[in-house]
Amino acid sequence: MDGAGQPALALDDRGLPADRLLEAYRQMVTIRRFEERALDLYRAGELRGSTHPYIGMEAVAVGVCLALEPGDYISSTHRGHGHTIAKGGDVRRMMAELLGRATGYSGGKGGSMHIADLDRKMLGANGIVGGGIGLAAGAALTAKLQRTGAIAVSFFGDGALNQGVLHEVSNLAAIWSLPVVFVCENNQYAMSAAAAWTIAGGDPAKRAAGYGIPGVTVDGMDVEAVARAARQLVARARRGEGPSYLIASTYRFVGHHAGDPLNYRPKDEAERWRARDPIRLLGERLVARGMATADDLAAIDAEAVARIDDAVAFAKASPPPTVDQLLTDIYA
Ligand SMILES: Cc1ncc(C[n+]2csc(CCOP(=O)(O)OP(=O)(O)O)c2C)c(N)n1
């Protein structure tokens, strides 16, 4: 235990191999282009309901999922597209869901906030703030009881850090030593409420001390830093040593949702974060280490754009759900 009463945790600082980093770059660019297209579709009136962009936060989902095995579980939030893509989700079925088509992940009936892919162990996006936290702990409990060796990750925002469910679940996860990593994406705001005004005790990672588990804060704009920390916490969970908190400091570059006028954030603050765009940071690092050329990165970007074009074309060519389909999978 260290001075704060938390178990000591040695984080290693090894870089990731070139193939993993290039794959991370590809995924981050795919998320960015997916989100930009979703915003365009919303503005064009083709995407109904709302959508919550992940632009600026890509290094968190991708860095954490780099540390996971295919059999590991994730649960997500209302801002779930990045998590789904990072866990290997199909952008065609995602886009079809956004556009309300029968070929979408939820048959076109759920929209942006209701995408799940159980084949990829992605337990679902969630319109209820904090709603995925208990789901991930439940999956971790199942994995532990069935001795499958899987672990679970719950992604949630700084706003959800103040939800009662997190306290209850953290307590149970700690006493039962569940293989779960609680990943708080601290993008500094819950809608328009700044984290600095709303999180008692100041430092979110310190809350872990109350449960006697590690709480690690990481630069959420640096995908390698996220992956290194996640690798340690995931390995710890897999060894049966229990849960932990990973707090990733990040920023959403755009509004809370597609229609947010963003009048509550200082401009210079947004500019400071934008200067550390996670995709540009990784691109510069790949070039500096001789792992890719600028042309390679441009080709990856072009591929991502083509993948999203194809997803939109697939979605638009797909039919909406029939009246009969509208009445299936409905629970009341
Ligand atoms: C239980 C619940 N309370 C309130 C809301 C309304 N709401 C939707 S998103 C949001 C803010 C969430 O902020 P945070 O958890 O930090 O995630 P972020 O949007 O920053 O990713 C709120 C309050 C909700 N959907 N569910």
Side-chain angles (χ1 to χ4, degrees):
M1 294 283 198
D2 65 17
Q6 294 168 264
L9 194 74
L11 294 181
D12 71 30
D13 61 356
R14 279 171 294 160
L16 295 173
D19 57 335
R20 302 303 307 275
L21 276 189
L22 278 169
E23 183 51 30
Y25 190 82
R26 183 171 289 114
Q27 286 192 340
M28 287 164 66
V29 171
T30 304
I31 296 170
R32 177 77 54 99
R33 300 295 170 238
F34 184 95
E35 297 291 57
E36 287 169 348
R37 194 66 61 86
L39 285 177
D40 289 347
L41 291 164
Y42 176 85
R43 289 183 193 120
E46 295 185 68
L47 190 163
R48 314 273 175 79
S50 192
T51 188
H52 301 80
Y54 200 64
I55 295 173
M57 300 166 64
E58 297 89 348
V60 186
V62 171
V64 169
C65 288
L66 269 177
L68 300 182
E69 299 295 332
D72 293 332
Y73 294 87
I74 64 167
S75 71
S76 178
T77 69
H78 52 287
R79 205 177 294 288
H81 306 157
H83 307 135
T84 310
I85 291 173
K87 196 68 172 63
D90 175 353
V91 289
R92 281 184 152 197
R93 293 185 69 195
M94 290 176 66
M95 200 55 93
E97 189 55 44
L98 263 56
L99 296 186
R101 307 303 161 120
T103 51
Y105 267 110
S106 301
K109 295 178 286 188
S112 169
M113 282 188 281
H114 301 101
I115 292 176
D117 184 342
L118 297 188
D119 292 337
R120 304 278 179 177
K121 314 288 184 205
M122 192 296 193
L123 299 170
N126 210 308
I128 299 168
V129 171
I133 296 170
L135 294 181
L141 176 60
T142 305
K144 182 175 168 122
L145 293 177
Q146 295 184 343
R147 298 175 200 273
T148 63
I151 70 114
V153 164
S154 175
F155 291 99
F156 53 86
D158 42 283
L161 197 66
N162 301 322
Q163 279 284 29
V165 63
L166 181 62
H167 167 65
E168 194 172 344
V169 168
S170 299
N171 189 62
L172 283 176
I175 60 169
W176 290 343
S177 206
L178 297 185
V180 56
V181 181
F182 298 107
V183 177
C184 174
E185 303 185 311
N186 182 3
N187 65 9
Q188 318 300 324
Y189 289 88
M191 298 180 87
S192 56
W197 313 334
T198 53
I199 298 176
D203 176 2
K206 279 190 189 155
R207 295 202 178 175
Y211 307 105
I213 64 177
V216 174
T217 302
V218 73
D219 177 359
M221 307 309 256
D222 179 344
V223 70
E224 271 191 297
V226 175
R228 280 196 300 264
R231 195 163 55 185
Q232 300 281 306
L233 299 175
V234 165
R236 183 178 181 279
R238 225 185 285 286
R239 286 193 303 268
E241 293 169 25
S244 54
Y245 277 20
L246 178 62
I247 313 287
S249 301
T250 182
Y251 204 72
R252 54 173 161 73
F253 288 177
V254 292
H256 168 70
H257 57 75
D260 177 0
L262 261 183
N263 51 9
Y264 48 87
R265 288 195 327 200
K267 267 218 166 70
D268 57 333
E269 175 190 277
E271 278 160 17
R272 274 200 311 278
W273 283 93
R274 271 186 179 276
R276 300 197 64 248
D277 184 316
I279 295 181
R280 203 173 58 234
L281 280 188
L282 177 57
E284 287 169 0
R285 193 173 290 172
L286 285 165
V287 172
R289 290 188 194 159
M291 292 172 167
T293 63
D295 285 349
D296 295 334
L297 300 185
I300 290 175
D301 202 326
E303 254 174 54
V305 171
R307 232 181 121 195
I308 304 306
D309 286 345
D310 165 74
V312 174
F314 169 80
K316 288 189 174 176
S318 298
T322 62
V323 172
D324 284 349
Q325 287 169 335
L326 285 177
L327 299 176
T328 59
D329 309 318
I330 304 294
Y331 304 94

